[in-house]
Amino acid sequence: MSAPGQRPGSASPAELHAMRRAARLAATALGSTSPNPVVGCVLLGEDGAPVAEGHHLGAGHPHAEVEALKAAGPSARGATAVVTLEPCAHQGRTGPCADALLEAGVTRVVYAVDDPTPEGTGGAERLRRAGVQVAGGVLRELGEHVNELWLTAVRRRRPCVTWKFGSTLDGRTAAADGSSRWITGAAARQDAHELRAAHDAVLVGTGTLRADDPHLGLRHDVPGTPPLRVVVDRTGGIDPGARVLDDAAPTLLVVAEDAHRPRLPHGHEVLALPADGHGIDVAALLDELYRRGLRSVLLEGGARLASAFVARGLLDRVVAYLAPMLLGSRGRPVLEDFGVKNLAEGRRFETGEVRKVGEDIRLVLRAPHGPAAGPR
């Protein structure tokens, strides 16, 4: 219940604290819920003390509100539900959360972010019509942040693309002789694996595959579901012994429509897409990944593939690990040419978080457009 004199659209200190807890709960499922968002829910009793909590584990599983209601049992009657996303009003693989809250006797709902998708919107209004107090937009920025990947994807109708790279201060990813291990330190590499675990797919090109033979799985004891490994190889000439073709996680090999389509072991898949002299149509690739239910892609290399995404304006975020080192002009650059002739044509990003990771600097940049919302 709201405190005496509290306006329906405001939030008490207990509700604000609960929203922060709900956001932390939601974040634990990053990389596991697509095509659904991550959502956390905390139930508060009439005295403002927590009664139960829950979060969405993945598509097909109960939503966060239902998990919390199940944990609360009869204690849910008269409670306040604090949720990171507006409770849904539609019947999908699970029932409408708004109806579940009503049936449980919840009398107040506080949520951070409106669900603007046709499939999910309307839950707040259904609750209001039934006499439940509803406060929306509470700690909205926090709710947007925890669901940034999903919100961006559903607003763009394609996966959110994060470009991750480690480089020297002068933008070099390897020395002139090709050596690159290790430009960044152990702490940065650990952090990068946690970033990988939060995404649905990890994407590399042929150059990275042949130079480094990356595994693209989760290491350093990072928990979570290994992302889909996506390799762009225009000609289909992948080495049958490449580490990405083991059975640790599925791999999608993307080739040109006129290319050789190799037989892959362990049930990995070959996808043929349009291509031109500049390579695979990366916009078509994102469309196909979105159709398959993937909502976030971590682009890890290399310079040519990253340049294709930059040129098409298809980067949403950049996570850069900058090492305190210089290699000079003979080192390998982080990007190839993508057609910029002057400063006015340069791609600018908005600076986000900056922090030290070991001896390196972790910098998060965002494209100058905001995130969004979509189906639960």
Side-chain angles (χ1 to χ4, degrees):
M1 295 286 289
S2 55
Q6 182 181 326
R7 300 188 312 276
S10 63
S12 69
E15 290 167 351
L16 295 176
H17 180 77
M19 186 65 79
R20 295 185 183 96
R21 171 61 182 165
R24 291 193 295 272
L25 287 169
T28 63
L30 282 167
S32 302
T33 63
S34 285
N36 295 354
V38 293
V39 183
C41 176
V42 175
L43 293 179
L44 302 177
E46 295 190 54
D47 60 354
V51 170
E53 61 184 31
H55 68 282
H56 183 44
L57 297 174
H61 290 273
H63 290 173
E65 299 93 323
V66 175
E67 290 282 7
L69 292 171
K70 184 168 57 176
S75 300
R77 186 157 299 278
T80 293
V82 180
V83 198
T84 54
L85 185 68
E86 177 188 4
C88 66
H90 77 291
Q91 176 70 49
R93 278 182 279 189
T94 59
C97 291
D99 290 357
L101 292 167
L102 290 172
E103 291 167 10
V106 167
T107 56
R108 177 170 165 82
V109 173
V110 176
Y111 69 91
V113 181
D114 291 327
D115 189 336
T117 62
E119 300 89 346
T121 191
E125 183 56 32
R126 182 180 297 188
L127 291 164
R128 288 190 183 97
R129 287 199 306 266
V132 175
Q133 278 192 6
V134 178
V138 173
L139 294 184
R140 183 192 306 276
E141 187 174 336
L142 176 63
E144 290 266 352
H145 180 76
V146 74
N147 239 337
E148 180 179 10
L149 302 180
W150 180 82
L151 289 171
T152 301
V154 296
R155 288 169 184 160
R156 304 276 170 269
R157 307 306 296 175
R158 60 163 177 77
C160 176
V161 179
T162 301
W163 176 33
K164 185 275 292 183
F165 66 87
S167 80
T168 62
L169 291 177
D170 53 347
R172 305 293 156 173
T173 59
D177 65 355
S179 59
S180 62
R181 297 184 177 180
W182 296 100
I183 285 178
T184 56
R189 297 195 297 275
Q190 170 77 27
D191 190 270
H193 272 267
E194 293 172 4
L195 180 68
R196 184 183 288 175
H199 287 74
D200 299 331
V202 55
L203 174 63
V204 300
T206 309
T208 297
L209 193 71
R210 291 174 182 161
D212 301 333
D213 189 23
H215 182 256
L216 303 181
L218 300 181
R219 300 197 309 273
H220 306 294
D221 297 320
V222 172
T225 304
L228 173 68
R229 300 177 291 190
V230 183
V231 177
V232 175
D233 182 359
R234 190 189 192 289
T235 64
I238 189 171
D239 183 343
R243 296 172 67 211
V244 293
L245 297 180
D246 69 7
D247 58 1
T251 294
L252 180 66
L253 180 67
V254 184
V255 303
E257 290 176 326
D258 60 352
H260 167 66
R261 302 185 190 185
R263 295 178 63 86
L264 302 180
H266 306 300
H268 302 309
E269 184 182 353
V270 177
L271 171 67
L273 289 177
D276 57 24
H278 301 289
I280 295 291
D281 183 341
V282 291
L285 171 58
L286 292 181
D287 287 345
E288 175 60 23
L289 294 178
Y290 191 87
R291 188 189 67 79
R292 292 172 179 230
L294 281 75
R295 297 295 179 261
S296 58
V297 172
L298 186 64
L299 172 60
E300 293 202 12
R304 183 178 185 185
L305 185 60
S307 297
F309 277 85
V310 174
R312 295 290 300 272
L314 293 174
L315 290 185
D316 300 295
R317 307 193 311 160
V318 178
V319 179
Y321 298 91
L322 303 181
M325 178 191 299
L326 299 170
L327 285 176
S329 62
R330 294 181 63 196
R332 297 184 180 178
V334 72
L335 279 178
E336 290 188 359
D337 174 63
F338 56 92
V340 169
K341 299 183 291 295
N342 53 57
L343 280 178
E345 295 178 355
R347 303 293 195 274
R348 289 194 178 273
F349 290 80
E350 298 171 351
T351 304
E353 306 89 67
V354 181
R355 62 181 170 91
K356 192 173 181 183
V357 181
E359 293 303 309
D360 305 311
I361 300 298
R362 183 185 193 267
L363 176 63
V364 179
L365 305 170
R366 292 178 174 85
H369 55 233
R376 292 182 65 187

